[in-house]
């Protein structure tokens, strides 16, 4: 697998203001010309609020024959364990915000686990937010002050207290040890984590290790790799290759080759030449 077409674009991260830290962990501005080809959208741990301001964006499951759906301009992308396919006619202008569990609740009224492998629009409030972001992006870069002010209005007031303290999972520590540290039994910890995040802790740890490898393999990664060598988290090289391919559809070598050939600035979006885009009838007019 790999990509032969050249993409042009960049990603610029930015920090979230302190008064939004309860809901947003950070953000990034993305500009890219995809050339109208189908992209592999790789699994992603973090729930994200994405506002798409360029051409309409389509998603479908990776299985052959799966139906395409047009993504709303402003949508919450839940944690994803499975790879998907994406398509945009050519112009990607997007602003993404990493969401905390409380941020997902503020926007969707449910924990992140209820949005697992789903992309959910935000109705009229989302349309108003996208419109405000579009007004703020009239030059080369968006006016982030205006964008963050619109985000604050979308999120509303910070809750006085979270529903429950979110469970934070260390990908390198045993689940049993983390359950004890949280004052929970092993069964309680697993049940609470799956209810909050949509997958068992062991599955989440596997994805976290592969996710760290994506950042390590990308030559222009804008996400920190973290301490230590992420390859050391795997028993050996065959284990690394097997896990990476199982969760992404690429071997590490094929991933690195596709990134180099396409020049994509993204870690989790790779071109798939030869895959058919949505039928013209499925696309919105204009």
């Amino acid at each position: 697998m790999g990509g032969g077409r050249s993409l042009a674009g960049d990603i610029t991260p930015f920090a979230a203001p302190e008064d939004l830290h309860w809901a947003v962990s950070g953000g990034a501005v993305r500009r890219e010309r995809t050339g109208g080809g189908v992209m592999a959208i790789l699994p992603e741990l973090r729930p994200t609020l994405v506002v798409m301001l360029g051409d309409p964006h389509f998603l479908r499951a990776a299985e052959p024959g799966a139906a395409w759906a047009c993504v709303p301009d402003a949508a919450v992308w839940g944690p994803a364990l499975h790879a998907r396919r994406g398509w945009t006619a050519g112009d990607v202008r997007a602003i993404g915000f990493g969401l905390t569990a409380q941020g997902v609740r503020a926007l969707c009224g449910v924990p992140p686990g209820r949005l697992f492998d789903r992309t959910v629009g935000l109705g009229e409030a989302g349309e108003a937010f996208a419109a405000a972001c579009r007004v703020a992006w009239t030059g080369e870069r968006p006016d982030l002050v205006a964008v963050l002010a619109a985000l604050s209005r979308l999120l509303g007031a910070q809750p006085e207290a979270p529903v429950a303290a979110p469970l934070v999972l260390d990908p390198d520590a045993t689940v049993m040890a983390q359950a004890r540290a949280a004052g929970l039994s092993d069964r309680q910890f697993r049940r609470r984590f799956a209810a909050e995040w949509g997958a068992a802790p062991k599955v989440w740890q596997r994805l976290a290790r592969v996710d760290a490898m994506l950042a390590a393999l990308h030559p222009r990664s804008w996400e920190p790799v973290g301490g230590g060598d992420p390859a050391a988290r795997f028993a050996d090289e065959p284990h690394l290759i097997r896990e990476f391919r199982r969760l992404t559809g690429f071997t590490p070598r094929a991933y690195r080759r596709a990134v180099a050939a396409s020049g994509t600035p993204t870690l989790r979006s790779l071109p798939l030449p030869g895959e058919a885009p949505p039928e013209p009838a499925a696309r919105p007019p204009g």
Side-chain angles (χ1 to χ4, degrees), residues 13-114:
F14 59 88
E18 288 189 11
D19 62 336
L20 293 182
H21 281 180
W22 63 275
V24 178
S25 58
V29 175
R30 176 185 172 191
R31 295 195 63 176
E32 191 171 357
R33 293 291 301 178
T34 68
V38 174
M39 309 289 286
I41 310 298
L42 305 185
E44 165 68 278
L45 279 170
R46 291 158 288 271
T48 310
L49 168 63
V50 179
V51 56
M52 305 287 292
L53 304 174
D55 293 327
H57 187 66
F58 288 77
L59 279 180
R60 69 167 175 82
E63 291 76 20
W68 290 96
C70 188
V71 180
D73 288 347
V76 173
W77 295 46
L81 176 62
H82 301 97
R84 291 177 282 183
R85 300 292 181 260
W87 182 86
T88 300
D91 179 26
V92 174
R93 288 191 305 141
I95 309 172
F97 306 88
L99 295 175
T100 66
Q102 198 65 23
V104 173
R105 281 189 168 90
L107 292 174
C108 301
V110 296
R114 294 281 295 276

Side-chain angles (χ1 to χ4, degrees), residues 5-232:
R5 72 179 189 276
S6 177
L7 308 180
D10 60 83
I11 292 179
T12 306
F14 59 88
E18 288 189 11
D19 62 336
L20 293 182
H21 281 180
W22 63 275
V24 178
S25 58
V29 175
R30 176 185 172 191
R31 295 195 63 176
E32 191 171 357
R33 293 291 301 178
T34 68
V38 174
M39 309 289 286
I41 310 298
L42 305 185
E44 165 68 278
L45 279 170
R46 291 158 288 271
T48 310
L49 168 63
V50 179
V51 56
M52 305 287 292
L53 304 174
D55 293 327
H57 187 66
F58 288 77
L59 279 180
R60 69 167 175 82
E63 291 76 20
W68 290 96
C70 188
V71 180
D73 288 347
V76 173
W77 295 46
L81 176 62
H82 301 97
R84 291 177 282 183
R85 300 292 181 260
W87 182 86
T88 300
D91 179 26
V92 174
R93 288 191 305 141
I95 309 172
F97 306 88
L99 295 175
T100 66
Q102 198 65 23
V104 173
R105 281 189 168 90
L107 292 174
C108 301
V110 296
R114 294 281 295 276
L115 305 182
F116 207 69
D117 280 337
R118 294 176 58 200
T119 301
V120 180
L122 300 176
E124 292 183 1
E127 293 173 7
F129 175 61
C133 290
R134 192 168 279 108
V135 169
W137 196 339
T138 55
E140 285 296 308
R141 298 287 175 185
D143 177 351
L144 288 179
V145 173
V147 167
L148 290 168
L151 177 62
S152 183
R153 293 193 296 271
L154 177 68
L155 288 166
Q158 178 179 357
E160 292 185 5
V163 175
L167 293 177
V168 179
L169 190 66
D170 183 339
D172 300 314
T174 67
V175 175
M176 183 177 294
Q178 293 181 78
R180 289 174 179 167
L184 301 169
S185 70
D186 184 71
R187 180 176 295 181
Q188 288 173 324
F189 184 91
R190 292 175 189 275
R191 185 170 61 247
R192 270 188 56 185
F193 187 88
E196 182 75 5
W197 293 104
K202 282 291 186 184
V203 172
W204 202 263
Q205 287 181 317
R206 288 173 55 210
L207 184 54
R209 291 164 186 157
V210 169
D211 202 62
M213 283 302 305
L214 289 173
L217 291 169
H218 199 291
R220 294 189 291 151
S221 174
W222 57 278
E223 295 182 11
V225 176
D229 179 5

